Amino acid sequence: MKYNLKNMMALDLYLTTLNQNDYDAIADQVEGKINYIMPLMSWDLHSHNFIKQLQFAQREQDILKVVHLGEKYHWQNDIQSIFKQNEFEALLLTDHEQRIVWVSNGFTEMTGYFKKEVLHKTPRILQGAETSLTSKKRIREKLSTDESFSEIITNYKKDGSPYKCEVKIFPLKTDETTHYLALERQVS
C-alpha cells in the first residue's frame, strides 16, 4: 500500500471487513504487529447509530406500555393506528379528570420533570406566563367534546424555559371516555 494505514480514518471498520489473508497482506502497513484489540477509532459513527437504536427501542417500549394499558382498561380505540399516523417525542396519559397517570421517558427528556414529580398532577403544571389563555380555553372546549384534536401551546420546562409544543390529544374510550392520551413534540 502506498500510505501508512495507521493514519486511516475509521481504520477499525476497515480492518473488520478483511478476511485473514487480506489482513496478513497489510498487517505490516499498520504500525507494528497488531496482536491486541484495536481501540474503536470511529466511535462517533457507532454512537450515533447506537443512540438511534436506543431511541427507537424506547419508543417501541412506550407504545407497548400504552397498548398494554389499553388492554387493561378495554379501550375501544385503535392504539396502534394512533402511533402510526402521528409523530411524537413524548407521551402523557391522564385520567378522565386530567390527572397524569403515566408519562414516557421522552416526556422527562422534553420537560425535565421526572415521572414521580408529575404523577397525579394536571398538565397545567407545564403552563406559565406565556401560555396563551386562548389556547387553554380551546383545549378545555375540545376536551369536553370527547373528540381527538391538535393544539400548539407554549409550555414550560422544569427549569422555567418556555417551548412551543404541538399536543395531539386522543380520548380513550370504553363505553365512555376513561383517559386521554397526549402525543407531544416540540415545534419551532
Side-chain angles (χ1 to χ4, degrees), residues 3 5 11 21 27 36 39 44 46 61 99-100 127 129 140 162 172 175 177:
Y3 302 103
L5 288 179
L11 176 61
N21 289 337
Y36 57 90
D44 56 334
H46 170 73
Q61 287 300 311
R99 289 182 308 233
I100 298 170
Q127 297 173 0
R140 276 193 307 275
L172 302 173
D175 292 334
T177 298

PDB file of all heavy atoms in Angstrom, residues 3 5 11 21 27 36 39 44 46 61 99-100 127 129 140 162 172 175 177:
ATOM      1  N   TYR A   3       0.242   4.270   1.337  1.00  0.00           N
ATOM      2  CA  TYR A   3       0.237   5.084   2.542  1.00  0.00           C
ATOM      3  C   TYR A   3       0.264   4.208   3.789  1.00  0.00           C
ATOM      4  O   TYR A   3      -0.154   3.061   3.765  1.00  0.00           O
ATOM      5  CB  TYR A   3      -1.013   5.973   2.570  1.00  0.00           C
ATOM      6  CG  TYR A   3      -1.108   6.873   1.364  1.00  0.00           C
ATOM      7  CD1 TYR A   3      -1.965   6.588   0.321  1.00  0.00           C
ATOM      8  CD2 TYR A   3      -0.298   8.004   1.263  1.00  0.00           C
ATOM      9  CE1 TYR A   3      -2.033   7.406  -0.795  1.00  0.00           C
ATOM     10  CE2 TYR A   3      -0.362   8.831   0.147  1.00  0.00           C
ATOM     11  CZ  TYR A   3      -1.227   8.525  -0.876  1.00  0.00           C
ATOM     12  OH  TYR A   3      -1.299   9.330  -1.970  1.00  0.00           O
ATOM     13  N   LEU A   5      -1.205   2.840   6.926  1.00  0.00           N
ATOM     14  CA  LEU A   5      -2.602   2.659   7.317  1.00  0.00           C
ATOM     15  C   LEU A   5      -2.921   3.195   8.708  1.00  0.00           C
ATOM     16  O   LEU A   5      -4.071   3.429   9.023  1.00  0.00           O
ATOM     17  CB  LEU A   5      -2.966   1.175   7.264  1.00  0.00           C
ATOM     18  CG  LEU A   5      -3.084   0.580   5.874  1.00  0.00           C
ATOM     19  CD1 LEU A   5      -3.418  -0.900   5.961  1.00  0.00           C
ATOM     20  CD2 LEU A   5      -4.125   1.295   5.060  1.00  0.00           C
ATOM     21  N   LEU A  11     -10.093   3.219  10.638  1.00  0.00           N
ATOM     22  CA  LEU A  11      -9.256   2.038  10.428  1.00  0.00           C
ATOM     23  C   LEU A  11      -9.887   0.788  11.035  1.00  0.00           C
ATOM     24  O   LEU A  11      -9.850  -0.286  10.435  1.00  0.00           O
ATOM     25  CB  LEU A  11      -7.858   2.269  11.031  1.00  0.00           C
ATOM     26  CG  LEU A  11      -6.888   1.083  10.985  1.00  0.00           C
ATOM     27  CD1 LEU A  11      -6.606   0.671   9.544  1.00  0.00           C
ATOM     28  CD2 LEU A  11      -5.589   1.428  11.701  1.00  0.00           C
ATOM     29  N   ASN A  21      -6.452 -13.571   5.094  1.00  0.00           N
ATOM     30  CA  ASN A  21      -5.405 -13.431   4.074  1.00  0.00           C
ATOM     31  C   ASN A  21      -5.162 -11.963   3.730  1.00  0.00           C
ATOM     32  O   ASN A  21      -4.015 -11.525   3.616  1.00  0.00           O
ATOM     33  CB  ASN A  21      -5.773 -14.207   2.809  1.00  0.00           C
ATOM     34  CG  ASN A  21      -5.691 -15.707   3.015  1.00  0.00           C
ATOM     35  OD1 ASN A  21      -4.989 -16.187   3.909  1.00  0.00           O
ATOM     36  ND2 ASN A  21      -6.427 -16.448   2.208  1.00  0.00           N
ATOM     37  N   ALA A  27      -0.817  -6.256   7.264  1.00  0.00           N
ATOM     38  CA  ALA A  27      -0.528  -6.113   8.698  1.00  0.00           C
ATOM     39  C   ALA A  27       0.720  -5.278   8.949  1.00  0.00           C
ATOM     40  O   ALA A  27       0.758  -4.494   9.901  1.00  0.00           O
ATOM     41  CB  ALA A  27      -0.406  -7.481   9.355  1.00  0.00           C
ATOM     42  N   TYR A  36      -3.151  -7.084  19.502  1.00  0.00           N
ATOM     43  CA  TYR A  36      -4.063  -6.624  20.543  1.00  0.00           C
ATOM     44  C   TYR A  36      -5.343  -6.144  19.871  1.00  0.00           C
ATOM     45  O   TYR A  36      -5.393  -5.970  18.665  1.00  0.00           O
ATOM     46  CB  TYR A  36      -3.425  -5.502  21.369  1.00  0.00           C
ATOM     47  CG  TYR A  36      -2.996  -4.311  20.535  1.00  0.00           C
ATOM     48  CD1 TYR A  36      -3.878  -3.255  20.298  1.00  0.00           C
ATOM     49  CD2 TYR A  36      -1.717  -4.243  19.971  1.00  0.00           C
ATOM     50  CE1 TYR A  36      -3.499  -2.179  19.517  1.00  0.00           C
ATOM     51  CE2 TYR A  36      -1.351  -3.162  19.183  1.00  0.00           C
ATOM     52  CZ  TYR A  36      -2.241  -2.138  18.967  1.00  0.00           C
ATOM     53  OH  TYR A  36      -1.861  -1.075  18.204  1.00  0.00           O
ATOM     54  N   PRO A  39      -8.381  -0.192  19.405  1.00  0.00           N
ATOM     55  CA  PRO A  39      -9.379   0.685  20.022  1.00  0.00           C
ATOM     56  C   PRO A  39     -10.353   1.167  18.949  1.00  0.00           C
ATOM     57  O   PRO A  39      -9.999   1.271  17.787  1.00  0.00           O
ATOM     58  CB  PRO A  39      -8.543   1.845  20.565  1.00  0.00           C
ATOM     59  CG  PRO A  39      -7.306   1.831  19.735  1.00  0.00           C
ATOM     60  CD  PRO A  39      -7.064   0.399  19.337  1.00  0.00           C
ATOM     61  N   ASP A  44     -17.737   7.852  16.902  1.00  0.00           N
ATOM     62  CA  ASP A  44     -18.818   8.769  16.547  1.00  0.00           C
ATOM     63  C   ASP A  44     -19.828   8.097  15.616  1.00  0.00           C
ATOM     64  O   ASP A  44     -21.029   8.284  15.759  1.00  0.00           O
ATOM     65  CB  ASP A  44     -18.277  10.054  15.932  1.00  0.00           C
ATOM     66  CG  ASP A  44     -17.406   9.805  14.715  1.00  0.00           C
ATOM     67  OD1 ASP A  44     -16.809   8.723  14.602  1.00  0.00           O
ATOM     68  OD2 ASP A  44     -17.321  10.704  13.861  1.00  0.00           O
ATOM     69  N   HIS A  46     -20.418   4.819  15.420  1.00  0.00           N
ATOM     70  CA  HIS A  46     -21.096   3.797  16.207  1.00  0.00           C
ATOM     71  C   HIS A  46     -22.085   4.418  17.187  1.00  0.00           C
ATOM     72  O   HIS A  46     -23.229   3.985  17.290  1.00  0.00           O
ATOM     73  CB  HIS A  46     -20.069   2.946  16.963  1.00  0.00           C
ATOM     74  CG  HIS A  46     -20.687   2.033  17.957  1.00  0.00           C
ATOM     75  ND1 HIS A  46     -21.378   0.908  17.582  1.00  0.00           N
ATOM     76  CD2 HIS A  46     -20.762   2.101  19.306  1.00  0.00           C
ATOM     77  CE1 HIS A  46     -21.837   0.309  18.658  1.00  0.00           C
ATOM     78  NE2 HIS A  46     -21.476   1.009  19.718  1.00  0.00           N
ATOM     79  N   GLN A  61     -41.083   0.596  23.383  1.00  0.00           N
ATOM     80  CA  GLN A  61     -41.488   0.243  24.747  1.00  0.00           C
ATOM     81  C   GLN A  61     -42.626   1.138  25.228  1.00  0.00           C
ATOM     82  O   GLN A  61     -43.556   0.677  25.888  1.00  0.00           O
ATOM     83  CB  GLN A  61     -40.300   0.329  25.706  1.00  0.00           C
ATOM     84  CG  GLN A  61     -39.303  -0.794  25.537  1.00  0.00           C
ATOM     85  CD  GLN A  61     -39.937  -2.161  25.783  1.00  0.00           C
ATOM     86  OE1 GLN A  61     -40.612  -2.378  26.774  1.00  0.00           O
ATOM     87  NE2 GLN A  61     -39.719  -3.071  24.853  1.00  0.00           N
ATOM     88  N   ARG A  99     -55.823  14.158  35.479  1.00  0.00           N
ATOM     89  CA  ARG A  99     -54.668  13.948  36.356  1.00  0.00           C
ATOM     90  C   ARG A  99     -53.724  12.984  35.648  1.00  0.00           C
ATOM     91  O   ARG A  99     -54.160  11.963  35.091  1.00  0.00           O
ATOM     92  CB  ARG A  99     -55.098  13.369  37.707  1.00  0.00           C
ATOM     93  CG  ARG A  99     -55.841  14.362  38.589  1.00  0.00           C
ATOM     94  CD  ARG A  99     -56.176  13.712  39.895  1.00  0.00           C
ATOM     95  NE  ARG A  99     -56.869  12.448  39.612  1.00  0.00           N
ATOM     96  CZ  ARG A  99     -58.040  12.108  40.115  1.00  0.00           C
ATOM     97  NH1 ARG A  99     -58.658  12.876  40.949  1.00  0.00           N
ATOM     98  NH2 ARG A  99     -58.586  10.954  39.787  1.00  0.00           N
ATOM     99  N   ILE A 100     -52.462  13.289  35.687  1.00  0.00           N
ATOM    100  CA  ILE A 100     -51.461  12.482  34.983  1.00  0.00           C
ATOM    101  C   ILE A 100     -51.300  11.140  35.683  1.00  0.00           C
ATOM    102  O   ILE A 100     -51.057  11.084  36.893  1.00  0.00           O
ATOM    103  CB  ILE A 100     -50.115  13.226  34.913  1.00  0.00           C
ATOM    104  CG1 ILE A 100     -50.278  14.540  34.128  1.00  0.00           C
ATOM    105  CG2 ILE A 100     -49.033  12.335  34.289  1.00  0.00           C
ATOM    106  CD1 ILE A 100     -49.082  15.467  34.204  1.00  0.00           C
ATOM    107  N   GLN A 127     -47.699  24.832  32.259  1.00  0.00           N
ATOM    108  CA  GLN A 127     -48.096  26.136  31.744  1.00  0.00           C
ATOM    109  C   GLN A 127     -47.486  27.264  32.570  1.00  0.00           C
ATOM    110  O   GLN A 127     -47.104  27.063  33.717  1.00  0.00           O
ATOM    111  CB  GLN A 127     -49.618  26.235  31.717  1.00  0.00           C
ATOM    112  CG  GLN A 127     -50.226  25.208  30.783  1.00  0.00           C
ATOM    113  CD  GLN A 127     -51.733  25.151  30.847  1.00  0.00           C
ATOM    114  OE1 GLN A 127     -52.365  25.873  31.595  1.00  0.00           O
ATOM    115  NE2 GLN A 127     -52.307  24.264  30.040  1.00  0.00           N
ATOM    116  N   ALA A 129     -46.464  31.920  32.208  1.00  0.00           N
ATOM    117  CA  ALA A 129     -46.825  33.291  31.819  1.00  0.00           C
ATOM    118  C   ALA A 129     -47.118  33.441  30.326  1.00  0.00           C
ATOM    119  O   ALA A 129     -48.023  34.187  29.947  1.00  0.00           O
ATOM    120  CB  ALA A 129     -45.718  34.256  32.229  1.00  0.00           C
ATOM    121  N   ARG A 140     -59.716  23.227  26.704  1.00  0.00           N
ATOM    122  CA  ARG A 140     -60.838  22.869  27.595  1.00  0.00           C
ATOM    123  C   ARG A 140     -62.095  22.558  26.784  1.00  0.00           C
ATOM    124  O   ARG A 140     -62.793  21.566  27.048  1.00  0.00           O
ATOM    125  CB  ARG A 140     -61.121  23.997  28.589  1.00  0.00           C
ATOM    126  CG  ARG A 140     -60.251  23.985  29.807  1.00  0.00           C
ATOM    127  CD  ARG A 140     -60.772  24.923  30.894  1.00  0.00           C
ATOM    128  NE  ARG A 140     -61.016  26.290  30.439  1.00  0.00           N
ATOM    129  CZ  ARG A 140     -60.082  27.246  30.381  1.00  0.00           C
ATOM    130  NH1 ARG A 140     -58.852  26.992  30.752  1.00  0.00           N
ATOM    131  NH2 ARG A 140     -60.408  28.459  29.958  1.00  0.00           N
ATOM    132  N   PRO A 162     -39.384  28.400  28.348  1.00  0.00           N
ATOM    133  CA  PRO A 162     -40.578  28.106  27.550  1.00  0.00           C
ATOM    134  C   PRO A 162     -40.211  27.339  26.275  1.00  0.00           C
ATOM    135  O   PRO A 162     -39.093  27.425  25.774  1.00  0.00           O
ATOM    136  CB  PRO A 162     -41.115  29.489  27.209  1.00  0.00           C
ATOM    137  CG  PRO A 162     -39.919  30.371  27.215  1.00  0.00           C
ATOM    138  CD  PRO A 162     -38.974  29.808  28.245  1.00  0.00           C
ATOM    139  N   LEU A 172     -59.587   8.269  25.114  1.00  0.00           N
ATOM    140  CA  LEU A 172     -59.545   6.805  25.102  1.00  0.00           C
ATOM    141  C   LEU A 172     -60.837   6.305  25.738  1.00  0.00           C
ATOM    142  O   LEU A 172     -61.149   6.653  26.875  1.00  0.00           O
ATOM    143  CB  LEU A 172     -58.307   6.312  25.842  1.00  0.00           C
ATOM    144  CG  LEU A 172     -56.987   6.835  25.256  1.00  0.00           C
ATOM    145  CD1 LEU A 172     -55.810   6.456  26.140  1.00  0.00           C
ATOM    146  CD2 LEU A 172     -56.779   6.348  23.837  1.00  0.00           C
ATOM    147  N   ASP A 175     -67.129   2.430  27.017  1.00  0.00           N
ATOM    148  CA  ASP A 175     -68.453   2.981  26.667  1.00  0.00           C
ATOM    149  C   ASP A 175     -68.429   4.490  26.786  1.00  0.00           C
ATOM    150  O   ASP A 175     -69.222   5.187  26.178  1.00  0.00           O
ATOM    151  CB  ASP A 175     -69.527   2.401  27.590  1.00  0.00           C
ATOM    152  CG  ASP A 175     -69.746   0.920  27.339  1.00  0.00           C
ATOM    153  OD1 ASP A 175     -69.484   0.465  26.209  1.00  0.00           O
ATOM    154  OD2 ASP A 175     -70.152   0.214  28.281  1.00  0.00           O
ATOM    155  N   THR A 177     -65.460   7.947  27.811  1.00  0.00           N
ATOM    156  CA  THR A 177     -64.045   8.302  27.872  1.00  0.00           C
ATOM    157  C   THR A 177     -63.522   8.065  29.286  1.00  0.00           C
ATOM    158  O   THR A 177     -64.091   8.567  30.255  1.00  0.00           O
ATOM    159  CB  THR A 177     -63.837   9.775  27.478  1.00  0.00           C
ATOM    160  OG1 THR A 177     -64.276   9.940  26.127  1.00  0.00           O
ATOM    161  CG2 THR A 177     -62.365  10.164  27.574  1.00  0.00           C
TER     162      THR A 177
END
